[in-house]
Amino acid sequence: MPEDTLMAAPAASSPVCREFTVSELRRTGSESGLASPGGAGPDHSHWLLDLELPEGFPGEDGWTPGQFVMLRPVSWAFEPLWARPFSICMLERGVLRIFFQVVGRGTRAMSALRRGDRVVVWGPLGRGFVVEPETPTLLLAGGIGLAPFIGYARRHPRPDQARLFFGHRPEIAEYPLDLLPKAVVVEASRQTCAEEMACFVGDLERWIAEYAARQGLILACGPHPFLQAVQSLAVKHRARTQLSLENRMACGVGACLGCVTKTTDQALPVKVCTQGPVFWAQDVNLGGAA
Amino acid sequence: MNLAVELAGLRLKNPVLTASGTFGYGVEFAPYGDLTELGGIVVKGLSWEPRAGNPMPRIAETPCGMLNAIGLQNIGARRFVEEKLPLLPWAEVPVIANLYACDVEDFARLAEYLAGQEGVAALEVNISCPNVQAGGVLFGQDPAQAARVTRAVKDRAGTKPVIVKLSPNVTDITAVAKAAGDGGADILALINTLSGMAVDVRTRKPRLANVIGGLSGPAIKPVGLRCVHQVSRAVNLPIIGLGGIASAEDLLEYILVGAWAVQIGTANFLRPDTAFRIAADLPQLLDELGVTSWEEFRGALA
């Protein structure tokens, strides 16, 4: 598959590598950190990390929502070894903001960063979501998949055309929905058991069918099973849908070939970091029912 | 001091090369530095036909290292020459093609084609990849086979230097190094990755779909240094050292045990400007150490 045919939205500028300084790190939701009934406890806490934009890093107009950065605190030395990829949540007024959840060693170490710490960042990387100002646009976010949609909605010229359907397991207070423009209609749905999950998938199908009928645009980001479900429903209803994929990455620049995903045309696997992370739903093979 | 180094006719402005499989086709790193500031660029391993590589997951993080079982995914030699090579500043920085094939005749054909390209300065023969079913490290573990493959490539390489990249996954690396020398190798590169494995106790599965992969990164630097040290004393050929190099100081450690130049591998993933930074840091470190020539410093272990 030629690389250009996969292009979602072109990169706004060339990536660069710079050292940033942590200006703020705060935990979202309740300070108590008590385990929620959904199973996401203190070890799955959510954080907003603000980094001061250094000279030479692309600013507000130099990125496309859906793009990501690789981030690696200087203090890590060789342990953990790899940088970690994060969607750009916001890039405004000299601040790069990352919304992340503690899921493993790297993110746990990141949650211990302090103001003034140095962090190596390279980006903006990859290809983001398309923006069609006059098209009714449905944003489907699962959990931490909310992160890129904050930036997307804030940059959208017609946020009233966007609607967010948000599935989550931890408490809603963990998520910084207040960062979304007021014009975006938000509907959230919490899943804490299998029955609620089935109900959620039913809701997903209703929304996808409705936006397909309206010739709308559907954008999705979230855990792999969530994306598999969205892809399957998008294909069923012939909905114009883009998916933002996550995969383990070492470099983020298209060199390590560790993040590849299969395509539907059986060509060479494509790199999620540079040919994605956003793909049209019909182009990638996620191993689901689609 | 003059940083330039010449290995078997391969002229490098400094001893900082990039390692195959960690620097893409070169163009991926152009946003992060000036490619012409490097000593040379070794591109992703090339086969005749495009290869899809191994199933996912095919990388895993380990303490101070990583495992990979990419399986030589690449676009094939022809597409490289048509689409990627013209984008590289090959007139100003040597571009070295890394070759992989399943049999000796294929190696020879590939060598002839790539050596015939004006923008290719040298060939690096990969007889040490642990992640492919056929060929790969099997050629690099048997001295007689290593000599055969090297001879076949050398016979078709014309005037272009032939580098043979050796595996550490052998009992005696000097035996394979000597065999490659007997086969006509102009330069030796060592080491490729160490064969390794990682396991998840929760899923009870290996962390790589391929089960076994190649270990690289700072964790393997002691092994790389040992191998270069041994081979430099056993074989009279210029050596390119690699394995865990992430700083100018690491580079000098390799020179001290006998390397002429080095390749930066996994450290390119740690931050994409690593190779450029090492090249830029080198003059000051040499000044600090009072080193005035490579000849004086190379192999000069106290």
Side-chain angles (χ1 to χ4, degrees):
Chain A
M1 179 179 288
E3 296 193 1
D4 285 350
T5 60
L6 284 163
M7 182 179 286
S13 64
S14 286
V16 298
C17 179
R18 291 286 186 279
E19 283 190 19
F20 286 58
T21 304
V22 174
S23 57
E24 193 179 348
L25 175 68
R26 70 181 172 88
R27 187 167 171 187
T28 59
S30 68
E31 284 301 311
S32 68
L34 295 175
S36 67
D43 287 336
H44 295 86
S45 54
H46 291 77
W47 302 77
L48 283 168
L49 171 65
D50 285 359
L51 298 161
E52 277 172 39
L53 210 60
E55 205 168 306
F57 199 86
E60 317 201 354
D61 300 324
W63 68 291
T64 306
Q67 284 191 289
F68 68 102
V69 292
M70 297 296 285
L71 191 156
R72 192 169 185 284
V74 169
S75 62
W76 284 6
F78 299 135
E79 197 54 35
L81 190 72
W82 294 336
R84 299 293 193 262
F86 295 96
S87 291
I88 297 173
C89 175
M90 285 166 54
L91 182 42
E92 297 175 3
R93 295 188 291 278
V95 174
L96 169 64
R97 177 171 284 179
I98 303 298
F99 175 51
F100 71 91
Q101 181 180 18
V102 172
V103 293
R105 271 188 332 145
T107 42
R108 194 174 307 121
M110 279 174 55
S111 70
L113 284 169
R114 292 168 180 271
R115 182 175 302 174
D117 282 351
R118 306 285 288 169
V119 176
V120 179
V121 176
W122 57 100
L125 300 168
R127 293 163 173 176
F129 292 111
V130 295
V131 179
E132 296 178 1
E134 305 305 324
T135 306
T137 303
L138 176 64
L139 312 177
L140 297 174
I144 196 67
L146 174 69
F149 291 132
I150 292 172
Y152 186 88
R154 291 175 75 94
R155 289 283 296 273
H156 202 285
R158 288 283 308 276
D160 58 306
Q161 288 280 23
R163 180 179 192 108
L164 173 73
F165 183 48
F166 177 48
H168 61 101
R169 286 201 306 163
E171 288 178 26
I172 193 79
E174 294 280 321
Y175 299 95
L177 293 168
D178 57 314
L179 297 176
L180 289 164
K182 295 282 178 282
V184 177
V185 176
V186 178
E187 182 172 327
S189 160
R190 190 175 186 193
Q191 298 87 47
T192 57
C193 61
E195 290 76 23
E196 286 175 345
M197 186 57 79
C199 193
F200 175 63
V201 174
D203 288 341
L204 266 183
E205 176 153 21
R206 269 195 300 283
W207 282 114
I208 289 170
E210 181 188 326
Y211 273 73
R214 293 170 67 187
Q215 304 294 312
L217 176 65
I218 298 172
L219 311 175
C221 183
H224 193 77
F226 169 80
L227 293 180
Q228 282 180 320
V230 171
Q231 184 187 42
S232 166
L233 296 168
V235 169
K236 177 179 172 186
H237 293 281
R238 299 184 180 191
R240 290 177 61 236
T241 302
Q242 291 193 320
L243 310 173
S244 180
L245 271 50
E246 269 189 10
N247 251 338
R248 190 168 302 148
M249 289 179 190
C251 70
V253 304
C256 74
L257 302 179
C259 68
V260 296
T261 189
K262 287 182 183 173
T263 63
T264 44
D265 74 356
Q266 302 300 310
L268 292 185
V270 293
K271 293 177 269 191
V272 170
C273 61
T274 54
Q275 290 166 269
V278 176
F279 296 95
W280 288 103
Q282 71 272 13
D283 288 341
V284 285
N285 177 356
L286 301 184
Chain B
M1 124 180 200
N2 178 15
L3 297 182
V5 54
E6 185 173 336
L7 306 81
L10 181 65
R11 292 189 188 86
L12 314 176
K13 71 158 68 168
N14 62 53
V16 183
L17 298 111
T18 59
S20 181
T22 65
F23 208 66
Y25 300 110
V27 290
E28 292 87 343
F29 287 79
Y32 305 100
D34 180 352
L35 294 172
T36 67
E37 295 297 314
L38 300 174
I41 299 168
V42 186
V43 298
K44 175 81 188 144
L46 298 166
S47 47
W48 258 121
E49 299 300 328
R51 284 177 62 96
N54 290 328
M56 295 283 285
R58 54 193 196 180
I59 55 172
E61 201 177 34
T62 61
C64 296
M66 69 178 275
L67 280 168
N68 91 80
I70 303 301
L72 288 168
Q73 178 178 336
N74 77 95
I75 57 175
R78 281 194 198 85
R79 273 189 65 195
F80 166 74
V81 166
E82 287 163 14
E83 298 171 23
K84 306 292 183 182
L85 191 55
L87 303 177
L88 291 172
W90 51 262
E92 295 156 84
V93 55
V95 172
I96 297 161
N98 180 289
L99 286 64
Y100 163 75
C102 295
D103 60 55
V104 174
E105 190 45 44
D106 246 14
F107 261 118
R109 221 156 47 100
L110 196 52
E112 184 170 0
Y113 173 71
L114 287 166
Q117 307 302 324
E118 190 185 4
V120 172
L123 304 179
E124 182 177 77
V125 191
N126 183 357
I127 55 168
S128 46
C129 178
N131 296 325
V132 288
Q133 293 285 324
V137 75
L138 297 177
F139 287 125
Q141 288 175 328
D142 175 356
Q145 287 275 44
R148 270 183 69 213
V149 173
T150 306
R151 173 59 58 202
V153 170
K154 182 65 186 167
D155 285 349
R156 306 277 190 99
T159 57
K160 304 271 171 87
V162 172
I163 305 165
V164 178
K165 186 169 177 179
L166 304 181
S167 170
N169 302 315
V170 291
T171 309
D172 178 9
I173 193 166
T174 63
V176 187
K178 284 176 189 163
D182 293 344
D186 298 297
I187 303 166
L188 301 175
L190 51 135
I191 53 174
N192 205 321
T193 55
L194 287 153
S195 187
M197 170 170 188
V199 174
D200 185 331
V201 291
R202 285 173 182 80
T203 61
R204 302 187 182 191
K205 288 180 179 170
R207 290 188 188 271
L208 297 176
N210 200 49
V211 183
I212 289 169
L215 179 66
S216 63
I220 73 163
K221 192 178 74 171
V223 182
L225 286 169
R226 183 267 293 173
C227 290
V228 171
H229 175 72
Q230 288 180 322
V231 171
S232 72
R233 276 149 184 77
V235 180
N236 190 26
L237 284 176
I239 293 172
I240 299 172
L242 69 155
I245 298 170
S247 68
E249 193 160 322
D250 293 337
L251 179 155
L252 290 188
E253 289 178 28
Y254 270 86
I255 305 287
L256 210 47
V257 298
W260 293 49
V262 303
Q263 294 178 1
I264 313 301
T266 296
N268 292 313
F269 301 156
L270 272 56
R271 54 184 291 175
D273 55 0
T274 301
F276 306 104
R277 285 156 53 91
I278 291 174
D281 289 347
L282 197 52
Q284 193 186 333
L285 181 57
L286 288 166
D287 264 1
E288 278 173 27
L289 298 174
V291 177
T292 54
S293 77
W294 291 126
E295 288 71 24
E296 166 237 327
F297 193 72
R298 185 183 306 129
L301 271 184

